[in-house]
Amino acid sequence: MGKVGIIGVGQSAFVRTYPGSLKELAFEGFKEAVQDAGITSQEIDASVVCSAPEYDKQRSPAGIVAEYLGLNPQPTFYVETLCSSSSTGLKLAYSLVKSGLHDCVAVVGVQKMSEITSAESQERMGRGTDIQWESPFGTMMPAYYALFAQAHMNKYGTKPEDLSLIRLKSSFYGRLNEKAVFRKSLDMDQLTSPDSRLTDPVASPLRVGDCCANADGSSCVIVVSEEKAKSLSREPVWILGVGAASNSVNLTGRELFSGLPAAAEAARQAYEMAGITAKDVDIAEVHDCFTIAEMMAYENLGFAEPGGGKELIQGKETYMDGSIPVNIDGGLLSKGHPIGATGGSQIRTIVNQLRGEAGDIQVKDPEIGLVHNIGGVGLYGNVTILGR
Amino acid sequence: MAKKEIDVRFKKFGTVSFTSTSKVNDFIDYLDQGKVVGTRCSKCGLDFFPPRADCFNCLGSDLEWFDAAADTGELVTFSKMKYGPVGFENDLPYTIAVADFGKYKIFGRMDNDLADEAIKIGMKVKVSANSLDNGNMNYVFKAA
Ligand SMILES: [Zn+2]
């Protein structure tokens, strides 16, 4: 079996409220990816549509999205793993191509979170866990990550200021990203002063500055077989490793509260498949829906020992000039987090870096890039390794 | 002929319940009696909290109730919430937590009477049945 690669990536601007419909939003990321690939949509012989359906008014979004993108009568598949839906979509596309069933698959991630009111959205967020045993206590995503932040701080002496350093980095690069929701550069005073709005508590120990924003957005990744890439005369970025794992939804089933074992397991699989170790990774995109999530990602991916994440950010090792640049496109904290579109946006950033087309944030000659994309609080872990 | 009664006891669990029917609906009656019960597989001896009607290990459905309120656990982590989902506004602020009881863990809330300063990871806790203002029930952790 030949290799599987990516020849096109695209995303819409991530915005608070997209002034159009779900399918029109999906078109934006798709158009950029198809043009980037230098193909026509007739070349695409299957599509995978990825979103979290609780935000959609549309029932079965894959059908209407495929129609609007001109992808009938090709088959279309709908996948959902909360915030990691489009990484799961990439894994599905990889499998479809690797098996020989298809040779050119579009992975379309889309989310219009503003489709429902914020009250409706909050009501749905409360149901992101086991609705029988946990939701009746009044849970929300920030509080779940806060439980992990609390345990991480207690076990390793991580401080709220260490988490603020992660947001500081995010805002430093977010200002450069034209497609990000949040483009203001922040300073440590804004992130730590008791008078600042950004230090208002959300769920202890997490504060406003530790949380990403909801957004509307779309992304698209065009996945092809080696033979198809040759016939199109395109030089792909190769998918070298795909890892995925799950974990208990109920926190009563977890052994660890200072890290996400599903992420560590997905990383182990992806490293093994790619035949590399954490040290070989030149650039990474990690799932920083909250600052603590990026801290745990450093440790789960092996960029730092458990508890060593704070030294990594204190030493600016995850900045562009550091030993392992992470989220130098601003991450979810600055870009915003349109659930189903997020993974595709992370993949786009890494593909652009590996091609040397990342502009202001281009690191020098990266060969291996990594994408870490998490659904829920480590309920779904996905790690993808890409290479030139 | 009378319509068959549907057992919706689980509607009574928590501030807002999203479940009405469950094979472990007896949990609610135990809660009314001040017991916070899990289930134990009579075949392989595994303890489950929250209680399950079916054992994933032996695929059997012969499980017995045990009372977790009798055990002492240790606080694993907690978070005080400033915002909550729709329907929980009147409870705010409240603190959610996880406690480890050795053979099982429990997710719940800290007792409202506990001061913030008294809540620490590693503290010894008991789980206790708790009545809510809207007539529903849940369970909370109290200092042991
Ligand atoms: Zn059993």
Side-chain angles (χ1 to χ4, degrees):
Chain A
M1 276 295 169
K3 295 189 284 185
V4 178
I6 295 169
I7 57 164
V9 287
Q11 76 163 82
S12 72
F14 288 180
V15 294
R16 293 267 183 207
T17 308
Y18 179 70
S21 69
L22 184 78
K23 55 187 184 286
E24 292 161 354
L25 177 56
F27 185 81
E28 298 209 7
F30 177 75
K31 177 180 175 178
E32 191 178 285
V34 170
Q35 289 179 339
D36 178 51
I39 60 172
T40 62
S41 30
Q42 286 73 47
E43 301 284 354
I44 296 166
D45 66 354
S47 59
V48 178
V49 177
C50 321
S51 78
E54 67 270 22
Y55 296 100
D56 299 326
K57 290 258 160 76
Q58 177 69 51
R59 188 176 171 211
S60 195
I64 195 70
V65 168
E67 176 202 314
Y68 197 76
L69 303 183
L71 297 177
N72 297 143
Q74 300 96 308
T76 183
F77 310 97
Y78 185 69
V79 300
E80 184 270 337
T81 54
L82 297 169
C83 323
S84 65
S85 296
S86 43
S87 280
T88 304
L90 185 82
K91 185 165 183 176
L92 175 56
Y94 176 90
S95 312
L96 292 172
V97 171
K98 189 79 178 173
S99 66
L101 281 173
H102 296 284
D103 60 11
C104 183
V105 179
V107 180
V108 180
V110 63
Q111 205 77 61
K112 192 157 175 271
M113 298 180 78
S114 66
E115 188 116 315
I116 56 175
T117 65
S118 75
E120 283 178 310
S121 161
Q122 281 186 44
E123 194 271 333
R124 280 158 176 75
M125 281 183 200
R127 290 190 276 125
T129 177
D130 183 350
I131 59 160
Q132 182 171 7
W133 294 105
E134 291 192 0
S135 302
F137 285 101
T139 57
M140 291 179 84
M141 279 310 287
Y144 274 108
Y145 269 98
L147 292 172
F148 283 74
Q150 193 84 257
H152 199 278
M153 287 175 174
N154 182 69
K155 189 169 178 181
Y156 299 120
T158 311
K159 301 263 184 316
E161 296 72 42
D162 296 320
L163 298 183
S164 297
L165 288 173
I166 286 176
R167 181 63 194 262
L168 185 71
K169 171 171 70 72
S170 161
S171 76
F172 181 78
Y173 292 110
R175 83 201 147 93
L176 301 172
N177 189 338
E178 285 173 4
K179 296 197 169 186
V181 165
F182 194 92
R183 299 196 60 196
K184 264 185 296 194
S185 191
L186 300 171
D187 60 36
M188 264 318 251
D189 194 49
Q190 287 167 292
L191 288 164
T192 56
S193 157
D195 306 326
S196 166
R197 186 190 64 85
L198 294 170
T199 60
D200 286 349
V202 174
S204 70
L206 297 183
R207 308 180 287 188
V208 171
D210 292 307
C211 308
C212 73
N214 290 357
D216 291 350
S218 67
S219 63
C220 181
V221 180
I222 311 283
V223 178
V224 294
S225 64
E226 192 172 3
E227 298 72 27
K228 182 77 176 177
K230 262 195 205 112
S231 78
L232 293 166
S233 309
R234 302 292 297 168
E235 184 58 43
V237 163
W238 301 107
I239 300 173
L240 304 179
V242 282
S246 67
N247 203 339
S248 164
V249 180
N250 279 285
L251 292 188
T252 51
R254 300 289 180 95
E255 293 300 322
L256 189 71
F257 290 86
S258 53
L260 304 177
E265 170 58 19
R268 189 196 63 72
Q269 293 170 17
Y271 286 145
E272 186 178 293
M273 184 171 163
I276 64 161
T277 68
K279 288 189 179 59
D280 299 312
V281 177
D282 298 313
I283 179 153
E285 281 281 293
V286 308
H287 195 85
D288 60 331
C289 48
F290 299 95
T291 50
I292 182 64
E294 179 166 325
M295 178 78 73
M296 291 193 292
Y298 294 164
E299 299 169 9
N300 289 149
L301 293 169
F303 299 158
E305 292 296 306
K310 56 187 180 301
E311 280 86 28
L312 210 63
I313 186 66
Q314 284 163 3
K316 290 195 162 191
E317 294 295 342
T318 49
Y319 275 67
M320 203 174 134
D321 302 324
S323 56
I324 173 65
V326 175
N327 290 355
I328 60 169
D329 61 354
L332 283 54
L333 286 166
S334 290
K335 286 193 295 183
H337 181 21
I339 313 292
T342 291
S345 168
Q346 295 178 301
I347 292 160
R348 173 180 172 271
T349 293
I350 295 298
V351 166
N352 283 333
Q353 284 281 353
L354 293 172
R355 288 172 173 172
E357 294 174 359
D360 291 343
I361 56 162
Q362 181 65 51
V363 304
K364 195 167 175 294
D365 290 333
E367 286 182 7
I368 304 273
L370 178 149
V371 174
H372 157 283
N373 191 193
I374 302 296
V377 198
L379 156 58
Y380 307 116
N382 296 273
V383 173
T384 307
I385 294 172
L386 305 175
R388 284 190 287 170
Chain B
M1 218 172 86
K3 227 174 152 185
K4 198 176 170 224
E5 217 38 51
I6 297 173
D7 176 3
V8 294
R9 279 174 289 165
F10 216 86
K11 271 190 179 164
K12 229 187 136 180
F13 185 61
T15 307
V16 180
S17 177
F18 303 91
T19 307
S20 54
T21 62
S22 171
K23 285 159 81 179
V24 293
N25 266 352
D26 284 352
F27 177 85
I28 301 300
D29 293 344
Y30 283 113
L31 208 52
D32 268 329
Q33 298 161 26
K35 290 179 179 160
V36 182
V37 291
T39 51
R40 179 172 298 143
C41 178
S42 54
K43 196 166 166 201
C44 44
L46 283 180
D47 281 357
F48 297 115
F49 200 98
R52 299 172 54 109
D54 312 291
C55 175
F56 60 71
N57 190 44
C58 67
L59 305 184
S61 298
D62 184 14
L63 291 94
E64 297 154 359
W65 297 102
F66 69 87
D67 188 6
D71 294 345
T72 301
E74 204 171 272
L75 200 67
V76 175
T77 190
F78 64 94
S79 174
K80 183 179 182 180
M81 295 173 65
K82 177 90 184 298
Y83 304 92
V86 173
F88 294 85
E89 298 84 353
N90 296 333
D91 292 1
L92 288 168
Y94 50 87
T95 300
I96 58 169
V98 180
D100 189 352
F101 290 78
K103 289 181 77 182
Y104 58 91
K105 293 188 184 76
I106 297 181
F107 176 94
R109 273 196 204 169
M110 298 306 293
D111 182 10
N112 274 340
D113 293 339
L114 270 174
D116 286 352
E117 305 77 56
I119 302 173
K120 291 198 164 61
I121 290 177
M123 72 185 284
K124 298 277 184 269
V125 292
K126 292 265 192 193
V127 68
S128 175
N130 179 53
S131 296
L132 293 158
D133 291 342
N134 64 2
N136 279 8
M137 301 276 298
N138 68 2
Y139 43 82
V140 295
F141 299 119
K142 297 186 172 189

